[in-house]
Amino acid sequence: MTILRILVVEDDRLVADALKSTLSHCNYAVEIAGDGRTGLAFIEAFDYDLILLDVMLPKLDGISICRHVRSQGYTMPILMLTAVDGDRAVGLDAGADDYAIKPFNPEDLTARIRALLRRGTATARPILTWENLALDPRNCEVAYEGKSIALTPKEYALLELLLRHNRRVFSCGSILEHLWTYEDAPSEEAVRTHIKGLRSKLRMAGAPADLVETVYGIGYRLKRLTDEFGAGTGEVANHLKHRFSRREGFPPATAPVKTLDAPQRLAEIWDRHRSTMFDRVANIDRVITALETDSLTTQIRTNAWNSAHTLAGALGTFGLPVGSQVAKEIELLLGSEIDITSAHIAQLQPGVAELRREIESRAGAKIATESFTKCGLCPIEAPTIEVRLLVITEDLKMSASLQAAASDSLAIETAVGVATHRWRKARSPEASTHQPHLIILDLDCFANLIEGLTALTELDRYYPSIPTIVLSELESLDRRIEVARRGGRLFLAKPVSAESILLAVDRILQQVNVTHAKVTIVDDDRALLEGLTALLSPWGIAVTTLAEPSQFWETLSASVPDLLILDLDMPTHDGIELCRAVRTDERWANLPIMFLTANTAPMAIDRVFAAGADDFATKPIEGSAFAARIIHRLERIERT
């Protein structure tokens, strides 16, 4: 069964150890915090199923913790511990679910805990299923096609975790966080060992070997085995012809997607917000003036920190990495707990001067052009007539088979003699309208492997947005790794049928087509919001932005996004609070959420994922890297 996590916030170490021993014996994962502030930090950093909270605590009392936790939207049960019966009403009013009076009976306490946990999971589905796999939490039984499977407690907990969150990919770190306590967590190798054991037992029961799928570089998830098309092998070609003839997933020919001039838009955005950048530098300069006159206030320092924080993200996004780094260093200084004195003037003055030079010396057009040239951001023009497929091969028989199996709406061009073919010359602007939507590269048509891999590297460099399927007779792990490293999207081992190739083409085109996908971005930096819109709009992504978090719920309900991007540090409501609010709503519980932040401290990242985030990106962003990340995140969203 899933191991439930309990946090004990108790300053009496003897009581805390006794509670941990009692609850661990009942198969709960128990962690201990010895004071109120530590307890609150644990609550904000990790997910707990229940909290045992002492009333009298050093640094921060239990009643204050309870009020704060409830005000932030946390819904886990809270059981207060106290030696004074008169505290009961105050604690319940603060949001506690139950009380235990010291000294308490261990059996009575565990019974109260079980009752609270049952109340918290009353709406859980009785039986979890996936394909032919079934897990019954009521009696901890697992079966595949009716055949019972005996699992260890950790294997069972791992499988239940994957079943309850079957659309999510779990990293090793995330699995460790869910199944072990912080103190008892083993290495990530232990997770891989349990995955291996679970797969072995599922396979022995008749399940496919990859039912628990590895998503390379990310983690593990359950794999859907039924072909999403519902088509048998003999129906593949007809299905593809039908799909391509209707151009499903692509805009109709009468309504082509408008490709925006992203570099020009970035230039206009920069020019429009340039004065704002100077205003933010002026806020930092006010700290220097205040230090010189011995009049530095908390408000001046806070305003300067906010300005440095937004500059660190915005300058990097608009192609000023030096300015971004300077702003980040100033942000760290102003955000630290040390006292800022006149001795820091010598440290701040050069930074302020450098920021002004960076902003003054760069014109918007130059910034935008350099940014896009460096990043290689080149959105695909949405197809309006046909899907174009370029096949680089000398196997004319295979090419003819592809032509015969494809529909009229799938235009296939074969490149024979790749050294002189125009795909090497198609880097010019006039050739952009003839670029393929997907490339098939036959490694075996080259004189040697190195030449073929070099061609793959060139394709990835000049057309980073066009996926490439690689074919080869020689299949090995090293070759697959090298193909993936050089940008290959899919590796198919020959011999392979034309129908299988076209099926792979269809699936990839469905993934890369994110036209009409909707993304909502919440960040208090308006210049950054406009810059992100300019980066993503050319891909056909509908971007909704919000600079005022207080209007978040109305914007979310109106935009209905496929992906939500949140800034971490914002006024009124930070990204953590917004993320938690989203996760408590049934409608948005499975909405993919990405955080965009300049704060890369391990504790901040832990808080982001504990709040329910799926991914995070750091400021400043780079155009192509950020766009690719958004595209790939949208690709992984399962269509219901």
Side-chain angles (χ1 to χ4, degrees):
M1 59 181 175
T2 300
I3 297 178
L4 301 177
R5 298 167 60 90
I6 296 178
L7 174 66
V8 177
V9 189
E10 169 63 69
D11 61 318
D12 187 331
R13 190 68 196 186
L14 182 62
V15 174
D17 288 343
L19 287 171
K20 182 172 183 178
S21 176
T22 299
L23 297 175
S24 297
H25 184 72
C26 297
N27 205 30
Y28 297 119
V30 183
E31 294 186 43
I32 296 176
D35 61 74
R37 291 198 182 279
T38 302
L40 184 58
F42 273 33
I43 293 169
E44 292 179 339
F46 304 103
D47 288 329
Y48 295 100
D49 298 287
L50 182 139
I51 299 172
L52 289 178
L53 183 60
D54 190 18
V55 173
M56 301 298 295
L57 291 167
K59 299 185 181 180
L60 189 63
D61 65 89
I63 300 296
S64 299
I65 293 174
C66 190
R67 287 198 185 103
H68 179 78
V69 165
R70 293 306 188 215
S71 70
Q72 297 303 306
Y74 291 91
T75 59
M76 79 284 283
I78 298 177
L79 177 61
M80 302 292 288
L81 306 174
T82 181
V84 183
D85 193 24
D87 290 335
R88 183 189 300 268
V90 178
L92 293 174
D93 287 339
D97 297 274
D98 200 358
Y99 249 90
I101 307 298
K102 298 178 182 178
F104 38 75
N105 181 288
E107 292 183 1
D108 176 68
L109 181 65
T110 54
R112 288 171 180 264
I113 289 173
R114 285 195 298 270
L116 289 174
L117 290 172
R118 281 196 304 270
R119 191 184 312 165
T121 58
T123 59
R125 291 183 295 169
I127 297 179
L128 306 174
T129 61
W130 183 262
E131 298 289 345
N132 297 319
L133 180 67
L135 182 148
D136 189 346
R138 295 170 298 185
N139 51 24
C140 301
E141 291 184 352
V142 177
Y144 186 82
E145 293 184 338
K147 183 178 180 181
S148 180
I149 306 174
L151 300 177
T152 67
K154 277 292 188 288
E155 290 168 350
Y156 179 94
L158 175 58
L159 181 59
E160 185 176 357
L161 177 67
L162 295 173
L163 283 166
R164 289 194 182 278
H165 308 275
N166 51 50
R167 294 188 178 187
R168 180 175 170 185
V169 179
F170 284 91
S171 66
C172 286
S174 179
I175 293 172
L176 286 171
E177 181 181 327
H178 280 83
L179 302 189
W180 281 272
T181 67
Y182 180 76
E183 294 178 349
D184 300 330
S187 67
E188 292 187 355
E189 186 59 35
V191 174
R192 288 186 277 270
T193 299
H194 286 294
I195 289 284
K196 183 178 179 180
L198 176 60
R199 283 172 172 165
S200 176
K201 292 180 179 179
L202 290 172
R203 186 171 61 252
M204 290 175 63
D210 60 347
L211 181 60
V212 178
E213 179 184 25
T214 300
V215 182
Y216 292 98
I218 303 177
Y220 304 95
R221 68 179 175 190
L222 292 175
K223 181 178 181 179
R224 176 70 69 183
L225 304 177
T226 304
D227 194 311
E228 62 178 319
F229 303 140
T233 304
E235 301 173 310
V236 171
N238 289 334
H239 164 77
L240 287 172
K241 290 181 180 180
H242 180 59
R243 172 180 288 280
F244 282 125
S245 65
R246 291 185 297 149
R247 292 187 295 277
E248 281 188 6
F250 292 102
T254 55
V257 172
K258 181 180 179 182
T259 303
L260 304 178
D261 188 350
Q264 182 180 352
R265 289 192 58 190
L266 273 184
E268 293 173 354
I269 293 168
W270 170 260
D271 291 336
R272 189 164 59 250
H273 288 277
R274 201 176 180 202
S275 61
T276 304
M277 306 295 175
F278 281 119
D279 291 341
R280 291 170 180 168
V281 177
N283 282 337
I284 301 173
D285 200 17
R286 290 190 184 96
V287 173
I288 299 175
T289 303
L291 289 173
E292 291 173 341
T293 59
D294 196 24
S295 58
L296 180 63
T297 64
T298 302
Q299 187 61 49
I300 293 175
R301 180 171 176 172
T302 300
N303 290 341
W305 178 88
N306 283 328
S307 295
H309 175 74
T310 53
L311 282 171
L315 294 180
T317 301
F318 285 96
L320 296 171
V322 175
S324 176
Q325 183 59 38
V326 171
K328 187 175 292 187
E329 292 171 359
I330 295 175
E331 176 193 357
L332 291 174
L333 173 63
L334 297 177
S336 64
E337 296 182 358
I338 64 173
D339 292 332
I340 305 297
T341 66
S342 57
H344 292 95
I345 293 177
Q347 184 176 348
L348 289 169
Q349 279 181 332
V352 170
E354 181 64 30
L355 289 175
R356 286 200 172 106
R357 279 196 299 270
E358 282 278 283
I359 298 171
E360 288 172 352
S361 64
R362 307 295 294 278
K366 183 178 181 182
I367 286 177
T369 301
E370 290 184 358
S371 176
F372 271 72
T373 301
K374 176 183 177 182
C375 296
L377 189 63
C378 179
I380 302 176
E381 178 191 0
T384 58
I385 303 293
E386 59 188 11
V387 177
R388 293 183 293 276
L389 179 64
L390 174 61
V391 182
I392 302 174
T393 184
E394 292 183 350
D395 187 346
L396 300 183
K397 183 178 179 180
M398 180 187 71
S399 178
S401 297
L402 286 173
Q403 293 281 5
S407 72
D408 294 337
S409 295
L410 179 60
I412 298 179
E413 179 181 357
T414 301
V416 181
V418 293
T420 58
H421 195 267
R422 69 174 174 82
W423 70 268
R424 290 183 178 269
K425 304 174 183 178
R427 306 161 194 168
S428 58
E430 61 270 18
S432 61
T433 57
H434 301 291
Q435 287 186 4
H437 299 102
L438 189 141
I439 298 171
I440 295 177
L441 178 66
D442 184 359
L443 283 183
D444 300 334
C445 76
F446 293 87
N448 54 63
L449 178 61
I450 297 300
E451 184 179 333
L453 292 175
T454 301
L456 177 60
T457 301
E458 287 187 29
L459 287 169
D460 184 60
R461 179 184 302 127
Y462 291 106
Y463 311 118
S465 58
I466 301 178
T468 301
I469 296 177
V470 176
L471 309 179
S472 178
E473 289 184 354
L474 299 178
E475 179 187 10
S476 67
L477 177 60
D478 289 342
R479 180 161 298 192
R480 287 178 178 272
I481 291 174
E482 192 63 33
V483 165
R485 182 181 297 142
R486 294 175 181 256
R489 182 61 172 272
L490 183 66
F491 185 98
L492 295 179
K494 297 195 303 184
V496 58
S497 67
E499 291 182 350
S500 297
I501 295 174
L502 290 177
L503 182 57
V505 168
D506 186 48
R507 284 174 171 166
I508 290 179
L509 288 176
Q510 285 188 77
Q511 293 172 351
V512 300
N513 176 41
V514 295
T515 301
H516 306 312
K518 294 181 289 185
V519 174
T520 296
I521 308 174
V522 185
D523 196 301
D524 59 319
D525 186 346
R526 296 179 185 274
L528 182 64
L529 289 177
E530 292 191 37
L532 292 177
T533 302
L535 285 173
L536 297 177
S537 294
W539 297 85
I541 299 174
V543 181
T544 300
T545 60
L546 177 65
E548 178 46 61
S550 62
Q551 300 173 10
F552 171 73
W553 207 255
E554 295 83 352
T555 302
L556 180 67
S557 300
S559 60
V560 194
D562 300 298
L563 173 68
L564 176 63
I565 301 176
L566 299 173
D567 186 19
L568 179 59
D569 300 305
M570 294 184 290
T572 65
H573 300 290
D574 63 31
I576 295 289
E577 294 170 334
L578 298 181
C579 184
R580 287 184 179 135
V582 170
R583 290 298 184 231
T584 61
D585 188 274
E586 183 178 6
R587 181 185 182 187
W588 305 110
N590 294 318
L591 174 66
I593 299 177
M594 172 187 287
F595 271 77
L596 184 58
T597 177
N599 190 345
T600 57
M603 181 60 75
I605 296 173
D606 287 342
R607 291 177 63 225
V608 161
F609 285 109
D614 300 280
D615 196 2
F616 79 97
T618 57
K619 298 179 183 177
I621 65 170
E622 291 186 6
S624 63
F626 183 74
R629 195 160 190 164
I630 298 300
I631 298 299
H632 293 159
R633 175 57 61 180
L634 289 170
E635 289 173 8
R636 289 199 297 268
I637 296 174
E638 293 188 30
R639 293 168 173 80
T640 57

